[in-house]
Amino acid sequence: MSGTDYRFEEVETRWQQRWADDRLFELDLDAVPRHQKFYSLVEFPYPSAEGLHVGHVYTYCGADSYGRYLRMRNRKVFQPIGFDSFGIHTENFALRVGERPDRLTRRTIDNYRRQLRRVGAAWAWDQEIVTSDPSYYRWTQWIFLKLFHAGLAVRKAAPVVWCPSCLTVLANEQVEDDRCERCGTPVTTRVMEQWFLRITAYADRLVDGLDDLDWPEVSKRLQREWIGRSAGVEIEFQLHDSDDTLTVFTTRPDTLFGVTFLAVSPDHPAARIVAGRRALNPATGEAVPVFVGDYVVAAYGTGVVMGVPAHDARDHDFAVRTGLPIRRVIESPVAPPDGAWEGEGRLVESGQFTGLESTTAREQIADWLEQSRRGHRATRYRLHDWLISRQRYWGPPIPIVYCDRCGVIPVPEDQLPVLLPEVENFRPTGTGQSPLAAVPEFVESVCPRCAGPARRETDVSDTLLDSAWYFLRYPSTDSHDRPWDPDRTQRWLPVDMYAGGREHVMRHHLYARFITMALYDLGLVPFAEPFPHLRLHGLLVYEGAKMSKSRGNVVNPDEYIAQVGADALRLYLLFCGPWEEGGDFSDASLAGIVRFTGRLWKVVRAEGQSGDGSADMSELDRSIARIQEATERFRFNNAIARLMELIRWLDRERPQMSATQWERATRTTTLLLAPFAPHLAEELWQRLGGPYSVHWQEWPAYDPAALTAREVEIVVQINGRLRGRFQGRHELTKEDALKTALALPDVTRHLDGKVPRQVFYVPGRLLNLVV
Ligand code: ANZ
Ligand code: ZN
């Protein structure tokens, strides 16, 4: 804030120190009545080399301003922070710099703590968590055991996606365009024995539960699509001259009479034997050829499709390429298209079902298949079980031992944590085994059941399991004999507002919902949905271009804080666009915000008011109402725009204000500023003589009558001719304007009992009734 005497660096660090010394944002968690609690959760960072990135800061500014506003509305806001410090990200970074991940993590976390303080968010530092600390991962292992005993953690051989560069198995969600999400290497597949969490057992509840959540529509849609529930029918096709059958999954049994071939996925076990064979259509008895089709996905449905070229585009392509017949069985209401008609219509050439509407036929054919035992209704999901085994070092060891005599044995709870040994060589081996397999002291163990020799599981679990329950731990970090304290959990959970980025919708949010539902079913937590309210910020771009490391245009929050201070950066991030939609970070507009804070500093501190007291103070009421409403809707940009107007108003009206008016105006302005620019507001508040801390003051109240004070004249026309006028608020809605107009005697008289056919409204000016 050059050009003014406001020294942001000195002011901000001074208040940060004071808040930390006073533990201003730490709570006695047991003393807060449940109706007053507000659990503000933000996504916790994994401590990487670069430090906090601007996406984190963007999230935190939104959540923190919202939380600070609610604190002023008398809520007890609990906003904890911690570190998602296990996982491949951290380990890869350790490999690159050649330092042990445990040592490295300690160092990077210190840097993160410094940065998180510097942002000036109201963290509850006393409840910090570090997922790679044994006091935390002991409970991650405990949750695994609970799931294991409930049959929700299972070991199975499965074709898995393998990253040849990270030398580990990846979850499907970690693959983007057939490449490893972390390093970009094209992935391959392998068959291995792995641990899976049976998230598919919760697929229906995960879909159905979405309806009741206060989440952005887009994230509900993404989760629904990711789970990909689809209701259809499995139909058996008998192979010609054989007892074997092929089962297809279809969502369109109404097209059964149009089948001209079957296609089997190349990875399907039957793919080797079907070449040149024919299968019998259960409806017509007709033999159709069976092919291997590379468009058929092995892991979806049954891995076999019935080819209906007339009504499915991919089948159509395949049939055209292969010279297969195309048989139309559904009439298209429009002229028959060149390709496939995939819509609904009346059935033709479909035996006893001819003439039915396709939607009806779908049910009747399904009934007929079930009655004749040639098929049955089935629901399929795109979602797969969650593969959690990682053949890596930096994660919680999966708490299982293998005994030659007793088999797969879970580690007893009282032997947790299974400590991750400190080793010098943590490099992935490339053999499909974790580096832990090369540590005999770790591997060699005793069977908890028979006390004979046993081998430990050497895989560690996916870091997304660490973060799938961290919000349960925050209020209970001081519980040492259990993962969460039942009373604290009852009091503080579920989370009241979860703020974050969109990249977590398909994985983290889904996994956390699944784990919570499973714990709920086991009677371990008293609620099934962890995040009833969720807000996601939009994308920040820099000078119109997507930020990326390769472009070198990633905004480094540290640098900006050094240049303009945390308050100006916070204000700017919140101002540059609606938080949920994102915005353009531009240095020129940032300079505008810096000028604004400089002006604010000057205006609010101006002294010696002795005007005649004629200023219209209702402007304050309107500002409070607007800023409050905008903040509650996460429209921080509108709130800040209103603050800017308020400062202009203050400056303009100052000469008219009496000393009392001026005091009220400046104090109110400072309170309204507090959620967004916490340091600047604290400093101003002190100088205005307000009691410490501004963040413990009540949000100013407004007079609702003042909101309607600014009335305008609205003209009423009937068929374009002036018939009346009335005074109304500028913001009046069309419905309200119409109601008022219909009550005017002149208007009633001219309408003469007729009901307007059309109503045109120019807000705040004119209402025209057409009869
Ligand atoms: C015959 C048919 C006729 C189909 C028609 C569609 C239209 P969703 O909604 O995504 O579940 N299908 C089934 N298994 C498949 C697999 N493993 N790989 C690729 N495609 C597969 O899609 C279900 C439809 O996708 C199924 O319905 C099947 O094609 C295809 F006029 O069966 B349909
Ligand atoms: Zn044993």
Side-chain angles (χ1 to χ4, degrees):
M1 268 164 249
S2 52
T4 77
D5 56 342
Y6 182 69
R7 292 174 31 241
F8 66 82
E9 171 83 35
E10 186 274 320
V11 172
E12 291 183 356
T13 50
R14 174 158 47 76
W15 285 117
Q16 282 163 11
Q17 191 56 50
R18 173 91 190 264
W19 297 335
D21 291 347
D22 298 343
R23 301 173 157 255
L24 196 68
F25 305 116
E26 298 172 17
L27 298 166
D28 178 353
L29 292 173
D30 298 316
V32 174
R34 187 171 155 93
H35 71 269
Q36 243 191 328
K37 69 106 178 174
F38 188 85
Y39 187 166
S40 164
L41 183 69
V42 296
E43 283 159 4
F44 62 161
Y46 67 88
S48 71
E50 293 84 12
L52 278 188
H53 67 69
V54 72
H56 292 126
V57 179
Y58 198 27
T59 298
Y60 303 158
C61 290
D64 189 60
S65 298
Y66 187 72
R68 281 180 191 270
Y69 161 73
L70 285 179
R71 187 176 290 105
M72 297 175 82
R73 299 297 305 272
N74 206 21
R75 299 294 287 269
K76 301 285 184 213
V77 180
F78 174 51
Q79 184 174 278
I81 190 73
F83 303 96
D84 193 10
S85 45
F86 261 149
I88 290 183
H89 277 116
T90 310
E91 188 179 308
N92 283 351
F93 171 45
L95 286 167
R96 213 160 353 129
V97 299
E99 191 171 345
R100 257 175 46 187
D102 50 337
R103 295 198 190 120
L104 185 67
T105 298
R106 233 167 288 145
R107 213 155 38 77
T108 47
I109 285 183
D110 281 341
N111 184 41
Y112 269 73
R113 287 203 188 95
R114 181 189 59 75
Q115 289 183 300
L116 285 161
R117 273 212 178 89
R118 194 60 193 84
V119 169
W123 305 119
W125 282 109
D126 52 340
Q127 303 291 122
E128 181 196 282
I129 57 185
V130 177
T131 57
S132 58
D133 195 281
S135 68
Y136 182 89
Y137 72 72
R138 166 183 185 180
W139 303 114
T140 309
Q141 294 172 335
W142 181 88
I143 289 174
F144 174 89
L145 291 177
K146 292 291 182 207
L147 298 174
F148 175 85
H149 291 300
L152 290 170
V154 293
R155 195 170 141 82
K156 45 185 183 184
V160 292
V161 187
W162 176 260
C163 171
S165 161
C166 292
L167 298 176
T168 191
V169 163
L170 301 176
N172 291 311
E173 292 84 336
Q174 290 165 319
V175 181
E176 275 167 18
D177 300 332
D178 291 329
R179 285 169 185 276
C180 170
E181 171 217 51
R182 284 150 207 269
C183 71
T185 310
V187 297
T188 56
T189 49
R190 281 193 169 192
V191 175
M192 286 173 75
E193 285 272 310
Q194 305 278 330
W195 284 100
F196 289 85
L197 299 186
R198 292 190 49 226
I199 188 171
T200 53
Y202 283 77
D204 275 326
R205 280 165 70 187
L206 288 167
V207 177
D208 296 338
L210 287 171
D211 294 341
D212 297 328
L213 299 179
D214 168 28
W215 282 25
E217 272 314 312
V218 51
S219 55
K220 291 192 191 184
R221 182 171 52 77
L222 288 173
Q223 241 181 47
R224 253 183 225 118
E225 286 171 2
W226 186 259
I227 298 167
R229 174 163 69 188
S230 98
V233 178
E234 283 181 11
I235 307 177
E236 307 224 349
F237 282 72
Q238 189 167 353
L239 287 178
H240 194 41
D241 298 331
S242 153
D243 286 340
D244 293 336
T245 56
L246 281 177
T247 308
V248 307
F249 173 69
T250 179
T251 47
R252 295 294 304 268
D254 49 311
T255 63
L256 184 56
F257 289 79
V259 174
T260 59
F261 66 96
L262 295 192
V264 177
S265 160
D267 298 321
H268 192 283
R272 282 169 292 122
I273 57 152
V274 294
R277 312 211 40 178
R278 299 171 82 76
L280 303 177
N281 184 329
T284 61
E286 185 191 0
V288 295
V290 183
F291 294 95
V292 172
D294 54 10
Y295 69 102
V296 185
V297 182
Y300 185 64
T302 58
V304 185
V305 304
M306 60 181 214
V308 186
H311 302 292
D312 179 279
R314 288 163 308 171
D315 296 345
H316 190 270
D317 285 353
F318 189 83
V320 168
R321 265 187 285 137
T322 324
L324 290 160
I326 297 173
R327 187 177 304 156
R328 203 163 64 91
V329 289
I330 302 212
E331 271 176 356
S332 53
V334 291
D338 277 351
W341 167 248
E342 296 190 330
E344 310 292 349
R346 195 183 297 278
L347 263 64
V348 293
E349 290 176 47
S350 295
Q352 76 244 49
F353 303 102
T354 301
L356 291 177
E357 275 303 317
S358 48
T359 43
T360 317
R362 197 127 74 221
E363 298 309 320
Q364 294 202 4
I365 293 181
D367 289 343
W368 176 77
L369 285 165
E370 287 184 337
Q371 278 149 21
S372 55
R373 299 181 179 283
R374 284 162 176 151
H376 56 91
R377 288 181 168 83
T379 304
R380 290 291 183 157
Y381 306 88
R382 273 181 206 279
L383 185 70
H384 296 293
D385 278 338
W386 175 12
L387 170 61
I388 57 153
S389 295
R390 294 290 179 277
Q391 294 69 44
R392 298 288 293 235
Y393 168 70
W394 192 232
I398 294 174
I400 290 285
V401 297
Y402 301 97
C403 168
D404 287 340
R405 244 188 295 170
C406 312
V408 180
I409 303 294
V411 173
E413 276 177 27
D414 60 10
Q415 290 177 24
L416 296 181
V418 176
L419 280 177
L420 181 67
E422 294 183 0
V423 300
E424 292 306 325
N425 188 8
F426 58 93
R427 197 160 283 281
T429 57
T431 60
Q433 281 205 311
S434 148
L436 291 177
V439 185
E441 310 84 83
F442 178 80
V443 178
E444 288 159 19
S445 181
V446 216
C447 171
R449 189 166 296 170
C450 72
R455 285 160 293 111
R456 272 193 199 286
E457 167 67 68
T458 54
D459 286 352
V460 300
S461 57
D462 182 4
T463 178
L464 284 161
L465 183 59
D466 305 330
S467 56
W469 74 279
Y470 76 119
F471 48 92
L472 294 173
R473 183 65 182 164
Y474 273 135
S476 300
T477 48
D478 41 349
S479 268
H480 299 298
D481 53 355
R482 42 189 171 192
W484 48 85
D485 178 273
D487 293 339
R488 289 261 178 92
T489 304
Q490 181 71 47
R491 196 183 289 266
W492 280 96
L493 280 135
V495 166
D496 293 284
M497 180 56 78
Y498 195 12
R502 283 161 201 243
E503 64 279 19
H504 296 296
V505 171
M506 264 104 85
R507 295 182 282 158
H508 166 54
H509 296 159
L510 190 63
Y511 291 157
R513 291 185 63 218
F514 157 57
I515 293 292
T516 307
M517 281 180 195
L519 294 171
Y520 172 74
D521 287 352
L522 294 171
L524 295 166
V525 296
F527 52 91
E529 288 286 352
F531 316 131
H533 308 275
L534 175 79
R535 296 289 180 275
L536 304 174
H537 70 71
L539 190 68
L540 267 186
V541 297
Y542 181 75
E543 308 278 4
K546 192 172 180 227
M547 287 186 208
S548 78
K549 273 191 205 167
S550 52
R551 279 209 187 87
N553 68 348
V554 179
V555 168
N556 176 340
D558 258 4
E559 279 172 24
Y560 280 93
I561 289 178
Q563 274 174 38
V564 301
D567 282 334
L569 180 63
R570 291 170 61 114
L571 283 170
Y572 182 63
L573 287 174
L574 296 180
F575 182 65
C576 70
W579 186 85
E580 291 184 278
E581 285 162 34
D584 190 354
F585 195 106
S586 96
D587 292 342
S589 325
L590 176 62
I593 280 281
V594 172
R595 277 195 302 278
F596 160 66
T597 49
R599 191 161 57 242
L600 190 152
W601 173 250
K602 200 170 122 230
V603 169
V604 173
R605 282 165 51 257
E607 273 171 42
Q609 298 320 305
S610 53
D612 57 6
S614 65
D616 172 12
M617 301 296 279
S618 66
E619 177 68 12
L620 281 181
D621 296 281
R622 283 189 293 274
S623 298
I624 299 168
R626 276 295 283 283
I627 292 173
Q628 176 168 328
E629 184 251 7
T631 306
E632 284 172 1
R633 291 174 46 229
F634 274 62
R635 291 284 174 149
F636 309 111
N637 56 328
N638 294 343
I640 291 164
R642 187 68 194 204
L643 273 169
M644 292 173 170
E645 279 178 43
L646 187 59
I647 295 302
R648 279 194 290 273
W649 175 81
L650 269 184
D651 203 20
R652 203 173 52 233
E653 296 297 312
R654 188 177 43 180
Q656 283 82 259
M657 285 193 203
S658 67
T660 349
Q661 283 184 327
W662 178 247
E663 183 181 327
R664 182 170 154 234
T666 49
R667 283 200 175 205
T668 304
T669 303
T670 305
L671 292 172
L672 296 178
L673 176 72
F676 312 104
H679 316 82
L680 179 56
E682 190 80 286
E683 183 72 11
L684 282 171
W685 186 248
Q686 188 190 47
R687 292 184 186 227
L688 294 172
Y692 174 78
S693 154
V694 73
H695 302 294
W696 274 355
Q697 303 307 311
E698 259 191 55
W699 186 255
Y702 62 84
D703 175 4
L707 305 188
T708 50
R710 251 211 311 220
E711 298 207 323
V712 288
E713 186 179 76
I714 295 170
V715 167
V716 185
Q717 298 178 341
I718 297 176
N719 290 344
R721 299 185 55 188
L722 179 66
R723 296 300 185 204
R725 49 184 95 216
F726 65 91
Q727 297 284 318
R729 277 179 302 120
H730 190 267
E731 299 79 13
L732 204 66
T733 64
K734 184 173 169 180
E735 290 69 38
D736 288 344
L738 181 63
K739 235 185 267 169
T740 315
L742 291 179
L744 297 177
D746 284 349
V747 174
T748 342
R749 190 159 45 81
H750 278 102
L751 277 178
D752 193 21
K754 290 196 247 358
V755 178
R757 277 185 295 118
Q758 273 180 309
V759 178
F760 297 97
Y761 182 52
V762 184
R765 280 178 47 204
L766 175 145
L767 186 75
N768 185 17
L769 312 177
V770 181
V771 295

